[in-house]
Amino acid sequence: MDREVFERRLTTLLAVIAGLFLVLAVRLWQIQIVQGEYFLRLADENRLRITSVVPPRGLIKDRRGRPLTLNRPAFTVSILPTELRHPEQVLPEVARKLGMPVPEIIAKIDAAGDRPFEPVRLRRDVPKEAIAALEEDRMDLPGVLVQVEPVRDYLYGTLAAHLLGYLGEINDRDLAALRTQGYEAGELIGKDGIERIYDRFVKGRHGQIQAEVDAQGRPLRVIAKIPPTTGDTLTLGIDLDVQKAAEDALGSRVGAVVAMDPNDGAIVALASHPAFDPNLFATGITTTAWTRLLRDPLQPLLDRATQGGYPMGSVFKIVTATAALDLGLVNTDTRFYCPGFYNLGGHIFHDHEAHGNLNFLEGIAQSCNVVFWTLARPVGPDNLAKYARMYGLGQTTGVDLVQESAGVIPDPSWKARVWKEPWYAGDTLNSAVGQGYTLATPIQVARLLAAVANGGRLVTPHLVTQITTPQGQLVRRVAPPATGEVRLNPQTIAVLRAGLAAVVTRGTAASIQIPGLAVAGKTGTAENPHGKPHAWFAGYAPTDSPRLVVVALVENVGFGAEFAAPIVQRVLQVAFDVRPAPHP
Amino acid sequence: MSALAGPPLPQPGGPARLFRNVDILLLLSTLGLIGFGLVMVYSSTHVSTRPFLYLRSQALHLAVGLIVGGLILAIDYRAFASSARILYVVNALLLGAVLVPHIGRSSLGAQRWIPLGPLGQFQPSEIAKFVIIITLAKYLTDRPGPYQSVWDLAPFLGHVAIPMLLIFKQPDLGTALVYGAIFIGMLYAAGARRRDLATLGAAGLVLVPIFWRLLKEYQRRRLLAFVHPTLDPLGSGYGIIQSKIAVGSGLEWGKGLFAGTQGVLRFVPEHHTDFIFSVIGEELGFVGAVVLLSLFLLWVYRGLRIAAVARDRFGALAAVGIVSMVAFHVFVNVGMTVGIMPITGIPLPFISYGGSALMAMVWATALLLSIGMRHQRVGIGFDASPAPAHLIRSMRGPERHEE
């Protein structure tokens, strides 16, 4: 290349670089000379405040689009550590106006020590009067920030509390893990229920306000504003009417109700009593309210439908019957004689009544213990456990809730491991009728019954059926696949269904017949060491093409037919919109 | 062309005369910039329980840089040309080593450092810029062209791409971009057609969406924050906004040395490293900032003059590479603090706190001075790779200046 070309190019290079430097100089002129005074003012007073805007959480709706939660605007009072000039004057004043102790405020500010630019929320949902008092003395309270933030409003109070869950302030560990996903210090996140499981969908995205403020911290002018993005809407399989019916029917008794579509596992109602009011948590729960909930002997925070393990009582006979049928030990017409007791090597097991001569189907319908005790020994403990596990007992169902209990399915090796004792023949008898060591949750029982109702599929129970944007665009359809298959021949299932139908047509639950709706089910009365037996009823309807499984459990009341079956009857009436049977 | 062509050059003499040929203006502007930098590093870090902590470390690195720089000055720069291949391989290995767990150390989400015990940490990507200038100059000398299509430039692109990708992977987007500037500057000077360079630039733009996906989340946020600073004013946009406030509040004369508040306090992040210019703008004002830019411009001018008078193609192109590197650093760094360039983590040459970067700049300047003072035949007749034009020039002699 020619030297002259080279030198020309060097000159061009010099010109380009000089040009770029000139651009810098012009820019410096612009911000230092032209806009200098403006920036000087911002700098001198550090008057640029950037605050995060909390987005409204996504709504939660029932299957027909009726909202279960809303958001309402409320005042939040925070401290901005960078602007807090005279804490010794400001903090006691704020404490007095908010009615909270000064040390609590100081503790909150200290906890946020390394984040001086983020407001430290002192109290949410502050009453208007307190806000008015604060605003009056605004001039003397630099560093105090009043913001309007959306607060979760659970429209029906305690209704469906366990499945909805509750909110709580994000803790440091979660914050460290979630900061990159847009979570901020002091914000409320789901701590339980679907609020927790689906938090990343419903939380929305923070907006931001960049404002110029005066020496007292009062905003003068908004420089930039990015609105927050509302979280996605969750649509549940829950039907508000059915949920209400379930909770009304349960009333003040301690227990749980699960209603589920046996074909896809969508939960239509999930009740547990006693419950709590999630609104208590919506603004950050007070210590006293929290302690009261934790110390309540009835454990209102416990979701009995998914976290409570109970002996199944006679409902377990469905498993025993399945095993006996599948192993070819019985058929519909196998005949039994029930004298009202069963003699196991000199040890007498008493049935609740003497059923006399009866076939296997009647044995199911009348819930005759002697029939199942007779079958228990040929089936054997290992087969009982095997069929129970096939039905999904002893494992979590995978429902979209936290801390689901897996229950217990005992067998000889389990007893040797846990109790360090051999398995006795009496244990087999007890297991066959749902007494003894077996523990199951109402939702497991619902899934078991769904498998009978749908021909053997173990569906995955789920609350959320779809997630949509606030504008209604589909984000995700939630339809978890079945977790397994109960491999049974059609004949076995047909006999089981006939037996369960007989329970309601002429058996132990004949009292809950619903005109115009054929119901099948099984009663259970589970004896337990804590008082009266737990009452169970697990049923589905209509019998020919089941569309709803309903399981009711009531703790320590008595017979399943008397206390649990009417709850299921009430739920079915509402779900299928049939008028209540006239009481004679 | 005349601005860069020097006056008639003195005739060759012995090694003792060599140092008389040192470009005094370049040396003075360099020393001025370094002095400026030390003062500003102190000014931006002295508000602390150990006010001299950073200054001492910077001075220590400077001392090492000056000793090695003296060595670079003493040996003939053409020795670098002959060891280009080894330099290239060692450089690539060092850059690769940074990415290896247990060797490389990560900080602020990037893996850029190799710990060196008591010497602190060593950042190979800073030195790598210097190395790649040497090896690319050598490569361009070995394949002098003419470059008549974009394909003729491809080998050089490949030459730069390997270290560039290794750095990009650290990830250090800013330093990787410096390679782009060095590449364009050197190839332009080496005679590549404008059209072909434009094609490469366009191809780079086409690749943007792909690189976008390779970027780390925080890098994307920074770039977005640049386009729209209010998007994330507390996060990535925060630095830009606070830096503009700091610089803008300096007005004509600044708040006075050591009197800045925005930069020295915590408002401007990284105020002693990447954002040191916002402290300069705040404390020394428009006048101080323009003085600094003028010093840089003088440095650039003398650097390009050395390129113009260099005795061979290798020296001339190496000089252009060094100047391109420094100019790009200055523009992007200052541009970032005043909100006209995205935040990319590029330090201000000679000024920003950071040992590896300072040493690399001192060495680069030493090489530049070395090329400058050996611009004519001295001592042993050694010219492995003369620029074709050089022959023409030496044949034609001084009358060239009358053109």
Side-chain angles (χ1 to χ4, degrees):
Chain A
M1 187 183 72
D2 197 315
R3 187 93 194 178
E4 282 174 42
V5 175
F6 178 66
E7 290 185 351
R8 254 205 316 278
R9 290 201 158 191
L10 289 186
T11 313
T12 311
L13 218 48
L14 180 64
V16 167
I17 294 170
L20 289 176
F21 282 20
L22 188 66
V23 168
L24 293 178
V26 167
R27 175 64 173 177
L28 285 166
W29 173 271
Q30 191 188 0
I31 67 173
Q32 294 188 298
I33 310 296
V34 180
Q35 301 178 331
E37 295 293 339
Y38 168 75
F39 284 118
L40 180 63
R41 194 155 43 80
L42 291 183
D44 268 2
E45 308 169 351
N46 183 27
R47 293 302 146 71
L48 193 66
R49 182 202 283 159
I50 296 148
T51 43
S52 190
V53 185
V54 175
R57 279 179 88 78
L59 299 187
I60 301 177
K61 295 181 170 177
D62 89 336
R63 64 165 56 213
R64 292 197 235 163
R66 290 171 292 191
L68 302 176
T69 67
L70 287 179
N71 297 293
R72 63 183 165 84
F75 291 109
T76 298
V77 174
S78 312
I79 292 282
L80 260 179
T82 44
E83 292 181 17
L84 187 62
R85 306 259 160 72
H86 310 289
E88 67 291 343
Q89 292 163 19
V90 172
L91 295 186
E93 190 59 24
V94 173
R96 202 175 55 77
K97 292 194 154 98
L98 293 181
M100 62 194 292
V102 177
E104 194 183 325
I105 295 182
I106 293 174
K108 284 188 181 223
I109 295 174
D110 286 347
D114 55 341
R115 300 183 290 263
F117 296 102
E118 294 175 25
V120 179
R121 288 181 182 79
L122 298 182
R123 179 152 287 182
R124 291 180 169 85
D125 202 13
V126 179
K128 284 194 197 73
E129 300 74 38
I131 296 297
L134 276 174
E135 288 294 345
E136 253 171 49
D137 297 341
R138 203 77 190 77
M139 303 297 278
D140 304 322
L141 298 173
V144 177
L145 185 66
V146 175
Q147 289 166 294
V148 176
E149 292 185 343
V151 164
R152 194 61 141 176
D153 192 358
Y154 299 88
L155 292 173
Y156 300 95
T158 58
L159 185 93
H162 293 97
L163 69 95
L164 292 174
Y166 53 84
L167 304 179
E169 223 166 76
I170 189 166
N171 59 36
D172 286 346
R173 205 188 54 219
D174 289 345
L175 183 62
L178 296 171
R179 223 176 211 306
T180 53
Q181 293 169 36
Y183 285 83
E184 293 180 3
E187 83 169 280
L188 295 170
I189 70 166
K191 293 278 188 181
D192 197 3
I194 57 174
E195 290 274 32
R196 170 156 163 195
I197 300 270
Y198 295 94
D199 192 76
R200 66 198 173 96
F201 293 103
V202 287
K203 75 178 292 286
R205 270 181 42 206
H206 284 85
Q208 261 157 347
I209 290 181
Q210 189 187 332
E212 229 183 294
V213 294
D214 68 10
Q216 274 70 42
R218 286 179 304 188
L220 296 175
R221 191 168 73 86
V222 171
I223 295 170
K225 182 174 180 178
I226 308 149
T229 312
T230 306
D232 292 337
T233 301
L234 302 178
T235 301
L236 308 184
I238 296 290
D239 183 311
L240 184 57
D241 299 323
V242 180
Q243 179 75 26
K244 273 183 183 159
E247 299 202 7
D248 289 347
L250 197 53
S252 60
R253 283 169 294 196
V254 177
V257 179
V258 177
M260 183 174 84
D261 184 330
N263 301 302
D264 63 5
I267 293 173
V268 179
L270 188 96
S272 175
H273 190 84
F276 56 91
D277 185 352
N279 286 310
L280 287 177
F281 296 85
T283 57
I285 192 164
T286 59
T287 321
T288 38
W290 177 241
T291 319
R292 200 180 312 133
L293 281 174
L294 283 183
R295 294 217 178 124
D296 190 326
L298 291 177
Q299 295 179 274
L301 291 173
L302 178 76
D303 177 13
R304 289 172 159 78
T306 64
Q307 298 168 347
Y310 300 91
M312 286 167 66
S314 298
V315 178
F316 189 82
K317 286 174 185 164
I318 298 172
V319 177
T320 312
T322 305
L325 286 164
D326 203 47
L327 295 169
L329 299 170
V330 283
N331 59 46
T332 321
D333 299 321
T334 309
R335 301 209 64 83
F336 296 85
Y337 176 72
C338 166
F341 61 86
Y342 182 82
N343 187 339
L344 176 72
H347 190 88
I348 306 297
F349 283 70
H350 287 280
D351 202 346
H352 41 91
E353 63 179 282
H355 297 98
N357 259 311
L358 74 177
N359 66 13
F360 182 57
L361 212 58
E362 286 308 305
I364 296 175
Q366 302 302 331
S367 199
C368 173
N369 284 344
V370 171
V371 168
F372 287 90
W373 284 330
T374 310
L375 291 170
R377 300 190 67 192
V379 170
D382 290 317
N383 271 325
L384 280 177
K386 179 185 135 194
Y387 281 89
R389 290 197 191 101
M390 223 162 76
Y391 272 120
L393 299 178
Q395 313 137 39
T396 54
T397 63
V399 66
D400 41 359
L401 288 173
V402 293
Q403 290 179 328
E404 190 192 354
S405 161
V408 173
I409 291 302
D411 60 21
S413 67
W414 173 87
K415 194 181 177 192
R417 193 174 68 243
V418 176
W419 288 85
K420 316 263 185 265
E421 272 181 35
W423 185 271
Y424 302 111
D427 291 330
T428 313
L429 264 60
N430 279 335
S431 286
V433 298
Q435 300 298 149
Y437 305 106
T438 307
L439 293 178
T441 62
I443 199 158
Q444 283 177 322
V445 174
R447 181 161 76 150
L448 183 161
L449 219 70
V452 176
N454 67 27
R457 266 180 307 116
L458 272 188
V459 294
T460 305
H462 58 281
L463 289 155
V464 173
T465 53
Q466 65 175 21
I467 303 171
T468 47
T469 63
Q471 292 75 35
Q473 254 180 331
L474 186 70
V475 175
R476 179 180 295 192
R477 204 177 288 286
V478 184
T483 49
E485 191 91 25
V486 186
R487 294 192 183 283
L488 298 172
N489 68 50
Q491 188 57 32
T492 301
I493 292 195
V495 176
L496 285 174
R497 285 186 179 171
L500 296 181
V503 168
V504 180
T505 51
R506 58 182 184 275
T508 53
S511 63
I512 65 151
Q513 288 172 18
I514 303 170
L517 184 68
V519 182
K522 185 73 197 80
T523 52
T525 305
E527 284 160 24
N528 68 86
H530 307 293
K532 285 186 177 178
H534 300 321
W536 280 98
F537 188 81
Y540 58 81
T543 47
D544 48 352
S545 60
R547 280 164 33 217
L548 196 66
V549 166
V550 184
V551 173
L553 162 92
V554 187
E555 284 184 17
N556 304 113
V557 281
F559 293 111
E562 189 182 344
F563 295 98
I567 295 174
V568 173
Q569 180 193 35
R570 178 79 197 120
V571 170
L572 287 172
Q573 280 166 346
V574 172
F576 289 93
D577 198 22
V578 287
R579 265 174 297 152
H583 284 283
Chain B
M1 159 77 206
S2 56
L4 291 164
L9 299 163
Q11 287 307 299
R17 302 192 67 181
L18 204 55
F19 285 89
R20 268 184 230 164
N21 287 332
V22 162
D23 189 317
I24 293 298
L25 280 176
L26 179 64
L27 188 62
L28 286 179
S29 60
T30 305
L31 293 176
L33 286 167
I34 290 172
F36 204 118
L38 290 176
V39 172
M40 291 325 294
V41 164
Y42 176 72
S43 177
S44 57
T45 57
H46 72 283
V47 184
S48 127
T49 47
R50 297 165 72 187
F52 294 101
L53 183 69
Y54 289 93
L55 183 64
R56 190 178 304 141
S57 161
Q58 188 79 339
L60 206 74
H61 281 99
L62 177 62
V64 176
L66 287 176
I67 293 166
V68 178
L71 289 175
I72 291 173
L73 209 55
I75 52 179
D76 193 312
Y77 68 88
R78 285 162 296 192
F80 289 108
S82 36
S83 51
R85 190 163 296 175
I86 301 164
L87 281 173
Y88 188 81
V89 172
V90 170
N91 183 45
L93 287 176
L94 276 175
L95 288 175
V98 175
L99 298 175
V100 178
H102 309 303
I103 301 178
R105 179 172 297 172
S106 55
S107 157
L108 300 171
Q111 206 155 10
R112 297 179 188 169
W113 289 270
I114 291 180
L116 281 186
L119 285 175
Q121 292 175 342
F122 163 65
Q123 200 177 341
S125 60
E126 290 299 336
I127 315 293
K129 294 178 228 174
F130 177 53
V131 172
I132 215 70
I133 288 168
I134 292 169
T135 61
L136 183 61
K138 169 73 170 136
Y139 198 23
L140 283 166
T141 307
D142 293 345
R143 301 180 70 133
Y147 315 117
Q148 280 168 333
S149 85
V150 75
W151 300 112
D152 289 342
L153 308 184
F156 306 113
L157 193 62
H159 183 90
V160 178
I162 294 169
M164 198 167 166
L165 285 175
L166 284 171
I167 287 170
F168 187 78
K169 193 117 179 53
Q170 289 184 4
D172 187 346
L173 176 62
T175 307
L177 287 179
V178 174
Y179 280 67
I182 293 172
F183 180 78
I184 298 280
M186 289 176 73
L187 263 94
Y188 177 66
R193 299 187 305 174
R194 287 188 177 85
R195 191 187 330 166
D196 297 337
L197 288 175
T199 309
L200 286 181
L205 283 181
V206 171
L207 288 176
V208 162
I210 296 168
F211 278 100
W212 183 254
R213 289 182 46 207
L214 293 177
L215 289 177
K216 296 272 166 175
E217 183 58 31
Y218 81 95
Q219 291 175 317
R220 277 184 232 167
R221 275 210 306 269
R222 278 177 171 183
L223 288 177
L224 281 179
F226 165 66
V227 180
H228 195 66
T230 52
L231 205 64
D232 184 14
L234 260 189
S236 308
Y238 180 80
I240 295 175
I241 291 166
Q242 293 297 340
S243 173
K244 270 163 69 179
I245 292 177
V247 174
S249 66
L251 307 186
E252 291 92 337
W253 296 98
K255 297 173 187 169
L257 205 54
F258 312 132
T261 54
Q262 294 296 292
V264 180
L265 300 178
R266 59 209 153 176
F267 298 112
V268 178
E270 303 286 326
H271 56 256
H272 58 295
T273 57
D274 294 348
F275 277 95
I276 197 161
F277 188 82
S278 50
V279 179
I280 296 170
E282 185 187 8
E283 297 190 346
L284 304 179
F286 181 69
V287 174
V290 168
V291 165
L292 181 69
L293 287 179
S294 308
L295 267 177
F296 274 119
L297 194 60
L298 176 62
W299 192 97
V300 163
Y301 168 69
R302 296 312 295 181
L304 287 177
R305 192 188 166 278
I306 284 172
V309 301
R311 65 175 293 135
D312 55 23
R313 187 170 163 81
F314 170 76
L317 292 177
V320 170
I322 292 167
V323 170
S324 304
M325 167 178 77
V326 170
F328 184 76
H329 270 248
V330 173
F331 180 70
V332 173
N333 179 281
V334 176
M336 158 181 104
T337 60
V338 297
I340 59 171
M341 290 301 281
I343 300 180
T344 43
I346 291 183
L348 189 58
F350 305 109
I351 311 285
S352 282
Y353 173 78
S356 300
L358 180 63
M359 289 193 299
M361 288 301 165
V362 169
W363 299 347
T365 311
L367 184 65
L368 207 49
L369 288 168
S370 168
I371 295 165
M373 69 192 196
R374 290 182 175 84
H375 66 260
Q376 44 190 306
R377 191 174 293 272
V378 282
I380 322 141
F382 165 63
D383 197 346
S385 48
H390 173 75
L391 298 174
I392 302 164
R393 182 184 163 276
S394 53
M395 282 188 296
R396 284 211 267 161
E399 71 274 14
R400 187 176 50 84
H401 301 290
E402 284 139 31
E403 291 169 10

